Amino acid sequence: MIVELGHFALILALVVALAQTVLPLVGAHKGWRGWMAVAEPAATVQFALLLFSFAALTWAFVASDFSVRLVTANSHTDKPMLYKVTGVWGNHEGSMLLWCLILAFFGALAAWFGGNLPDRLKARVLGVQASVGVAFLAFLIFTSNPFLRLVNPPLNGQDLNPLLQDPGLAFHPPFLYIGYVGLSMSFSFAVAALIEGRVDAAWGRWVRPWTLLAWLNLTIGIALGSWWAYYELGWGGFWFWDPVENASFMPWLIAAALLHSAIVVEKREALKSWTILLAILAFGFSLIGAFIVRSGVLTSVHAFANDPERGVYLLIITAIFMGGALTLYAARAGGMQAKGVFSTVSRESALVANNLLLAVATFVVFLGTIWPLVAEMIWDRKLSVGPPFFDAAFTPFMMALALLLPLGSILPWKRASVSKVMRPLWAALAAAFVVAALAWVFGTGGTLIAPVGAFLGAWLVFGAAADLWLRTGRGDLSGKIGRVLRLPRADWGRVVAHAGLGITFIGIAFLTAWQVEDIRVAREGETFRVASYDVTLEGVRRVQGPNYISTMAEISLARDGREVARLTPEKRIYPVAGMPTTEAAIDNGVFRDLYVVIGDPQEGGGWAVRTFIKPFANWIWAGAIIMALGGVLSLTDRRYRVAAGVRRPAAPTGGVPAE
């Protein structure tokens, strides 16, 4: 009965979303306040219905109701409770229900906390947001219904994909979806502004917190996925430029550009058309990501589904929303004339350069991701675009961005002098060179990756510190410290996020340059040397897990005769799914990870053993966490909670009339 009620609530949510789409948009066009007022309660009701529907599906998984086809295909009675719950979104149908729930949640948030928005703009934003909900709810109900029953239920299920039975990947999709779907609010604000024909400083302030919320969740989601790939897949890497990895990375890059561009709209009322375009493209790349993950056109270990027919529906949804939004943009954007004038050397110009670098970098990732599909469709040739292409084509743009950020952060608006602005940054530049010199001295192999990465990362970190200190003004030390502590959280958020990016740069550079890898066949009791460590395969035994059988090795690592770690890597077999997984064992450290993997037994005796020494690996994810913390600090700034709408409404821009 609960499952049927969940299905019924899902259908009702579609009806409510239709009403929320039509009535507020018509009301805003006609000026009918009663029709516009429907948007807020409709958004709340739609969210409540979808929350109940999602809870009903969760109950079916927790109760192991194998009469529900989705539960049978993705659960098992022996599975730990955590993975019964996360199994709800560890599949195509359940993940799409979560997508729709988050979409409705963002609409409800806009209804609850958008009291300072003008009535017409608010009605249009909620109407556009609901239209996206209509498309995905129809897709879910008619092509991917999660509540379908089985006529003859089995006694047990087929289990969840073993790769998904891991804490890192269990929570990775929800964070990504909050990021993906959160960009729908930026899209809704952009389309609403195009319909209204007005973009002003208040609009820039309204759109920033939604974009920031999406960006910081994408940051966490991408970091969780990278961390999972690092320790779960046993290959020792953290990023493979996999199509689904790229599908999450592209919206992250565009959202970062949108955040910086919206600042120019808010502060200087410039770059209006470009910012609107970025808001449309950011959500567009999210839709492209949904298509890649679920269509099966590109193979990935992360893919949820392999169904070209459903992929066609997603492609149609993408074409409708992107085509419609870009058509409206072509018709209206010309009237959104910039008011601010700025010189070549100014903060505005630095932000423009920032946006161009991020946009071109996104295009490079998109081209490398989609090119194999284009080549197969047009020339019937199977091509593979892998890490060498992305590393060579993408890295220069990130290097240029790292060089620009510290300088751009302290440039004044309108016009500036580079020589004057560089004065507080000379110390940061000198410190960055010192760090690079140390990396060169302590490096092994003579590669430039470590010193260059160290310089860029240190430049970002010390540049962020200089930016923060510069804002304290003149006076004694105690006064400066007091002013630092009283700085707005948005200022703190910016410098923390930039410093986090610098730490990630350092981690990637040092890991890439200094990693040591050893692959060999080792017998039980055998000791071998990897870098400065003595590695001993103490023994291998079979272990029975809750829903798997494990081959577990015990490996000790010693340095200078003293044991520093004892690790137990595993090779697991999940009998129900009939699928093996690799569980790497890692001794984490601030400056290095000791990483070991046990492989298959060899015909001549012994076991395949992979050993890695990974310097500064954890700095990669520490930097991502710090970037997300910067986003949280900015999001809690009082200026985001104070009404931008209390400003006097701006006059319509250019020749586009406001309704």
Side-chain angles (χ1 to χ4, degrees):
M1 183 65 178
I2 292 178
V3 171
E4 278 68 33
L5 288 174
H7 189 189
F8 184 59
L10 187 62
I11 297 171
L12 278 181
L14 174 59
V15 175
V16 173
L18 279 167
Q20 185 185 335
T21 300
V22 175
L23 298 180
L25 289 176
V26 173
H29 181 70
K30 297 289 187 180
W32 298 341
R33 294 190 176 275
W35 285 40
M36 287 190 285
V38 170
E40 293 184 37
T44 301
V45 170
Q46 185 193 163
F47 170 66
L49 288 168
L50 283 169
L51 182 62
F52 178 81
S53 182
F54 188 81
L57 185 62
T58 303
W59 178 89
F61 271 83
V62 171
S64 295
D65 183 356
F66 296 119
S67 68
V68 179
R69 189 173 72 176
L70 192 65
V71 178
T72 299
N74 295 279
S75 192
H76 191 274
T77 53
D78 291 337
K79 192 167 64 172
M81 181 57 69
L82 172 64
Y83 303 127
K84 286 184 179 181
V85 174
T86 59
V88 176
W89 57 78
N91 56 81
H92 168 71
E93 292 83 358
S95 67
M96 288 310 302
L97 179 57
L98 178 62
W99 178 290
C100 293
L101 174 64
I102 295 172
L103 194 66
F105 178 59
F106 272 93
L109 284 177
W112 299 337
F113 300 107
N116 296 305
L117 292 172
D119 290 341
R120 286 191 175 185
L121 178 64
K122 185 175 182 179
R124 286 175 170 135
V125 167
L126 292 176
V128 174
Q129 185 76 3
S131 70
V132 180
V134 168
F136 278 97
L137 284 168
F139 171 75
L140 180 63
I141 291 170
F142 296 114
T143 74
S144 310
N145 191 342
F147 294 105
L148 294 178
R149 293 278 197 179
L150 292 173
V151 177
N152 298 307
L155 295 176
N156 219 324
Q158 300 170 14
D159 206 0
L160 179 67
N161 183 338
L163 288 174
L164 304 180
Q165 295 185 40
D166 178 86
L169 207 64
F171 300 105
H172 159 71
F175 279 107
L176 275 187
Y177 286 1
I178 295 172
Y180 276 146
V181 180
L183 291 172
S184 65
M185 283 304 302
S186 305
F187 174 83
S188 296
F189 268 96
V191 173
L194 287 172
I195 295 173
E196 199 158 294
R198 181 167 60 201
V199 176
D200 54 16
W203 181 90
R205 176 169 291 188
W206 286 322
V207 81
R208 279 180 65 196
W210 298 106
T211 307
L212 185 58
L213 180 59
W215 177 86
L216 77 88
N217 278 280
L218 271 175
T219 303
I220 296 171
I222 291 170
L224 278 174
S226 171
W227 179 55
W228 166 82
Y230 174 71
Y231 71 79
E232 174 67 22
L233 298 182
W235 62 300
F238 63 92
W239 192 262
F240 192 66
W241 296 105
D242 176 276
V244 177
E245 290 176 338
N246 296 346
S248 62
F249 193 41
M250 290 184 288
W252 185 86
L253 291 168
I254 290 292
L258 175 58
L259 280 173
H260 291 85
S261 181
I263 295 173
V264 184
V265 176
E266 179 187 348
K267 301 294 185 182
R268 300 285 298 141
E269 294 208 32
L271 303 185
K272 295 179 181 180
S273 296
W274 173 249
T275 305
I276 290 285
L277 180 60
L278 285 178
I280 294 171
L281 291 178
F283 186 54
F285 278 112
S286 294
L287 294 178
I288 291 171
F291 167 73
I292 289 174
V293 172
R294 290 169 174 83
S295 64
V297 297
L298 293 171
T299 303
S300 167
V301 70
H302 306 79
F304 272 123
N306 187 3
D307 188 343
E309 184 177 347
R310 285 191 292 203
V312 170
Y313 285 106
L314 286 170
L315 203 57
I316 292 172
I317 291 174
T318 303
I320 289 173
F321 282 98
M322 290 302 99
L326 290 174
T327 300
L328 186 59
Y329 174 79
R332 293 278 196 164
M336 296 182 183
Q337 298 174 358
K339 294 182 179 179
V341 179
F342 51 89
S343 69
T344 305
V345 181
S346 63
R347 182 174 294 188
E348 293 94 328
S349 294
L351 289 169
V352 169
N354 163 291
N355 270 227
L356 289 175
L357 289 169
L358 287 169
V360 176
T362 305
F363 176 75
V364 167
V365 177
F366 176 72
L367 183 64
T369 303
I370 212 73
W371 187 251
L373 178 62
V374 173
E376 186 171 355
M377 290 175 58
I378 298 178
W379 298 291
D380 196 25
R381 294 177 57 192
K382 289 191 176 293
L383 298 178
S384 176
V385 178
F389 165 80
F390 290 105
D391 292 342
F394 176 81
T395 303
F397 297 105
M398 291 298 99
M399 293 173 64
L401 184 67
L403 288 171
L404 176 67
L405 278 178
L407 181 62
S409 296
I410 66 173
L411 279 171
W413 298 101
K414 294 183 69 173
R415 63 180 60 87
S417 167
V418 174
S419 59
K420 185 177 180 180
V421 170
M422 276 300 297
R423 289 174 191 168
L425 287 176
W426 285 117
L429 189 64
F433 272 115
V434 170
V435 173
L438 290 172
W440 174 259
V441 170
F442 289 106
T444 56
T447 177
L448 286 174
I449 294 176
V452 170
F455 169 76
L456 293 174
W459 169 239
L460 284 167
V461 173
F462 293 131
D467 177 15
L468 195 65
W469 193 250
L470 184 65
R471 296 180 186 279
T472 62
R474 298 179 179 179
D476 59 12
L477 181 61
S478 61
K480 282 178 171 288
I481 294 174
R483 285 189 290 272
V484 164
L485 297 177
R486 291 192 299 271
L487 284 174
R489 291 184 184 177
D491 289 345
W492 274 97
R494 181 187 66 255
V495 299
V496 168
H498 289 180
L501 180 62
I503 290 170
T504 296
F505 264 66
I506 292 171
I508 291 173
F510 286 0
L511 177 62
T512 303
W514 296 341
Q515 173 180 281
V516 177
E517 178 181 5
D518 179 88
I519 305 174
R520 68 175 65 222
V521 175
R523 298 178 184 275
E524 294 184 44
E526 180 182 348
T527 299
F528 53 94
R529 193 163 183 82
V530 179
S532 59
Y533 294 90
D534 294 315
V535 184
T536 304
L537 177 59
E538 303 283 0
V540 180
R541 67 183 189 274
R542 290 176 67 83
V543 176
Q544 179 65 55
N547 62 332
Y548 61 82
I549 301 169
S550 170
T551 299
M552 180 184 291
E554 186 171 350
I555 298 176
S556 66
L557 294 98
R559 188 172 188 178
D560 299 327
R562 182 177 62 87
E563 184 175 278
V564 296
R566 186 169 287 266
L567 304 175
T568 53
E570 299 179 60
K571 190 84 170 180
R572 293 179 180 175
I573 294 289
Y574 290 76
V576 176
M579 182 176 176
T581 65
T582 300
E583 304 292 324
I586 307 172
D587 180 56
N588 297 111
V590 175
F591 299 110
R592 61 96 185 105
D593 278 1
L594 303 178
Y595 183 113
V596 294
V597 178
I598 187 70
D600 297 320
Q602 304 300 299
E603 290 184 5
W607 298 80
V609 177
R610 298 182 70 184
T611 309
F612 297 89
I613 313 298
K614 293 181 167 293
F616 290 81
N618 290 304
W619 287 44
I620 298 171
W621 301 288
I625 293 170
I626 293 170
M627 278 190 277
L629 176 61
V632 172
L633 286 172
S634 293
L635 197 60
T636 56
D637 191 297
R638 180 177 175 273
R639 289 175 294 181
Y640 281 138
R641 302 192 302 273
V642 172
V646 298
R647 299 179 179 183
R648 185 166 50 87
T653 58
V656 182
E659 297 174 8

